[in-house]
């Protein structure tokens, strides 16, 4: 009777989890939160980078009391932990990874971004030369593979391959490639010589029927590729030669800010007038400014670097203005359609006090 009373008075014991079970539970939790892939990407404000260190002009005027800044968007592949954390960030925007890549591999996406930047730089040089009436000529620096169309292509080509020859015909620009394919038929397999990194390789590529880019109602033959052509603008006065330094920033949207920096370097005086000027927008050789993506993030990036003026393409103005209204900032936002609009907005700032 006494033993039974004591037994009933004891607290029930709980099963203990062995140490190794806690260890594996912790590993599983860490994998799910940090390492398990998700189909999402997160876009957040990137940086506002000074353009001056990215550009050199052979005999340019380096006077610049202020600064021109290009702006970027940060694109991050999201794990579970980052998704939870950024859910409380008003500056974060979520998207699907597949929508971002649009069927391309990561390497192809990176190559496309670098070619977009290269084209942006070329457009900026031409816009600056045309604005300042500097004579120049264009020289092709080669045709490159950006990506394969997975629905059409049947070849051994890789992203960033430079096409040197097509069945023994030398290729340096698009006209050469078109000439090499004249009279060919879909289904033919040709041998191409390509430069891949530091090596030259021979690869096979089968011709396929594709839609003519100039006339959608017609068909022509090709390799089912997206190409990029590198070009250089060679000024008549070699002292006005522009060189861009290598950068890991990609995309087409820095054109306007590159142009403003180049005009400042290619002409006497200080175009910045001592102000911190940020902006975004594509530009063509005639000085037309085009819209870009991610402007709401770029406005935040510019403000973080104390920009006084933000130049925004007219097509992005409403989105940028809506973001600016929710920010505690004195930064001025000006919409521009052309290079002349941007130059006028800067002139109206007057000298910095």
């Amino acid at each position: 009777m006494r033993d039974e009373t004591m037994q009933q008075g004891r607290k029930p014991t709980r099963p203990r989890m062995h140490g190794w079970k806690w260890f594996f539970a912790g590993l599983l939790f860490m994998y799910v939160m940090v390492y398990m892939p998700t189909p999402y990407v997160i876009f957040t404000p990137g940086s506002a980078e000074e353009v001056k260190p990215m550009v050199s002009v052979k005999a340019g005027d380096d006077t610049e009391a202020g600064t021109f800044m290009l702006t970027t968007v940060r694109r991050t592949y999201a794990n579970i932990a980052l998704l939870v954390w950024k859910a409380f960030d008003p500056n974060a925007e979520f998207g699907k990874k597949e929508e971002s890549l649009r069927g391309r591999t990561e390497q192809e996406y990176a190559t496309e971004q670098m070619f977009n930047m290269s084209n942006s730089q070329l457009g900026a040089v031409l816009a600056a030369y045309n604005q300042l009436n500097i004579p120049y000529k264009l020289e092709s620096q080669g045709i490159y593979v950006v990506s394969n169309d997975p629905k059409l292509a049947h070849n051994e080509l890789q992203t960033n391959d430079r096409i040197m020859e097509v069945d023994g015909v030398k290729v340096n620009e698009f006209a050469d490639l078109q000439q090499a394919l004249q009279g060919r038929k879909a289904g033919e397999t040709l041998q191409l010589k390509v430069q891949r990194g530091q090596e030259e390789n021979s690869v096979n590529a089968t011709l396929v029927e594709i839609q003519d880019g100039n006339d959608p109602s017609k068909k022509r033959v090709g390799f089912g590729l997206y190409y990029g052509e590198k070009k250089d603008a060679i000024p008549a006065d070699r002292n006005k030669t522009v060189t861009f330094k290598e950068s890991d920033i990609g995309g087409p949207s820095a054109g306007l800010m590159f142009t403003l920096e180049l005009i400042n370097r290619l002409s006497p005086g200080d175009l910045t007038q001592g102000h911190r000027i940020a902006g975004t927008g594509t530009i063509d050789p005639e000085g037309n400014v085009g819209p870009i993506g991610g402007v709401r993030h770029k406005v935040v990036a510019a403000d973080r670097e104390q920009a006084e003026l933000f130049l925004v393409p007219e097509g992005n103005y409403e989105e940028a203005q809506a973001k600016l209204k929710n920010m505690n900032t004195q930064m001025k936002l000006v919409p521009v359609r052309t290079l002349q609009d941007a130059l006028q907005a800067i002139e109206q700032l007057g000298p910095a006090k």
Side-chain angles (χ1 to χ4, degrees):
M1 191 66 184
R2 189 174 177 183
D3 289 342
E4 185 179 339
T5 304
M6 290 179 65
Q7 182 70 23
Q8 291 177 347
R10 289 178 184 167
K11 292 182 180 179
T13 58
R14 296 179 181 176
R16 292 184 178 179
M17 196 173 195
H18 294 292
W20 65 270
K21 290 184 179 179
W22 282 113
F23 175 74
F24 282 110
L27 285 181
L28 179 61
F29 179 78
M30 181 175 292
Y31 170 76
V32 170
M33 295 298 290
V34 179
Y35 297 104
M36 188 176 76
T38 74
Y40 298 101
V41 290
I42 300 177
F43 300 98
T44 53
S47 58
E49 306 273 350
E50 293 189 8
V51 179
K52 185 175 182 179
M54 302 179 185
V55 180
S56 64
V57 177
K58 190 172 182 180
D61 181 354
D62 290 341
T63 305
E64 194 168 285
T67 186
F68 290 113
M69 295 179 285
L70 61 82
T71 49
T72 69
V73 177
R74 181 172 288 109
R75 171 178 170 269
T76 309
Y77 285 136
N79 55 28
I80 298 296
L82 199 56
L83 285 171
V84 172
W85 178 35
K86 290 298 181 180
F88 301 96
D89 184 350
N91 293 320
E93 182 180 359
F94 300 88
K96 287 288 190 70
K97 189 185 300 184
E98 61 185 26
E99 293 174 1
S100 178
L101 292 176
R102 299 196 307 275
R104 297 160 297 182
T105 66
E106 276 294 332
Q107 292 80 10
E108 289 172 340
Y109 177 82
T111 300
E112 182 182 74
Q113 290 298 92
M114 287 300 104
F115 265 93
N116 285 340
M117 173 58 85
S118 177
N119 291 336
S120 172
Q121 292 170 343
L122 177 63
V125 173
L126 300 186
Y129 283 169
N130 289 336
Q131 173 68 22
L132 300 172
N133 297 314
I134 297 172
Y136 63 87
K137 63 178 180 179
L138 286 174
E139 289 186 358
S140 178
Q141 302 299 317
I143 301 292
Y144 290 79
V145 176
V146 175
S147 61
N148 276 290
D149 185 332
K151 296 178 181 178
L152 292 175
H154 185 67
N155 60 62
E156 299 169 348
L157 293 160
Q158 297 179 11
T159 186
N160 213 30
D161 281 349
R162 179 181 178 180
I163 300 175
M164 309 292 289
E165 293 182 9
V166 175
D167 251 18
V169 178
K170 292 189 180 299
V171 170
N172 189 56
E173 56 187 38
F174 280 125
D176 299 333
L177 182 60
Q178 292 170 342
Q179 182 67 31
L181 297 184
Q182 272 196 348
R184 299 286 187 172
K185 296 180 180 179
E188 288 187 65
T189 297
L190 309 182
Q191 188 175 73
L192 281 63
K193 182 183 288 185
V194 301
Q195 183 176 333
R196 183 173 293 167
Q198 301 300 316
E199 299 179 352
E200 286 192 359
N201 296 330
S202 292
V203 299
N204 293 319
T206 300
L207 289 170
V208 296
E209 193 175 65
I210 59 177
Q211 196 172 53
D212 192 314
N214 298 320
D215 187 350
S217 65
K218 295 181 179 179
K219 300 283 186 179
R220 61 182 178 85
V221 294
F223 296 117
L225 300 170
Y226 296 99
Y227 301 99
E229 181 177 1
K230 290 185 179 179
K231 292 182 179 181
D232 277 347
I234 312 299
D237 180 355
R238 294 305 176 96
N239 284 327
K240 299 186 184 299
T241 299
V242 174
T243 305
F244 290 91
K245 297 181 181 177
E246 288 190 13
S247 168
D248 59 357
I249 298 174
S253 63
L256 172 61
M257 302 314 295
F258 278 135
T259 303
L260 293 172
E261 177 65 34
L262 289 173
I263 290 173
N264 192 40
R265 303 282 278 280
L266 289 164
S267 57
D270 182 4
L271 185 60
T272 71
Q273 302 183 88
H275 296 284
R276 296 180 64 79
I277 302 166
T280 187
T282 64
I283 199 163
D284 66 18
E286 288 71 43
N288 298 305
V289 178
I292 49 78
V295 71
R296 56 178 291 207
H297 303 300
K298 295 180 178 183
V299 169
V300 175
D303 183 60
R304 287 175 177 174
E305 291 299 323
Q306 290 82 49
E308 302 163 60
L309 172 67
F310 188 89
L311 300 168
V312 60
E314 189 175 64
N316 298 118
Y317 179 71
E318 285 189 16
E319 182 185 350
Q321 180 67 17
K323 182 63 179 177
L324 198 74
K325 285 180 179 178
N326 295 320
M327 296 166 55
N328 181 21
T329 179
Q330 298 298 314
M331 183 173 68
K332 184 179 180 182
L333 186 69
V334 175
V336 296
R337 287 189 303 110
T338 66
L339 174 59
Q340 292 299 330
D341 292 339
L343 293 172
Q344 184 177 354
I346 294 169
E347 183 180 0
Q348 288 176 351
L349 287 176
K353 297 178 181 179

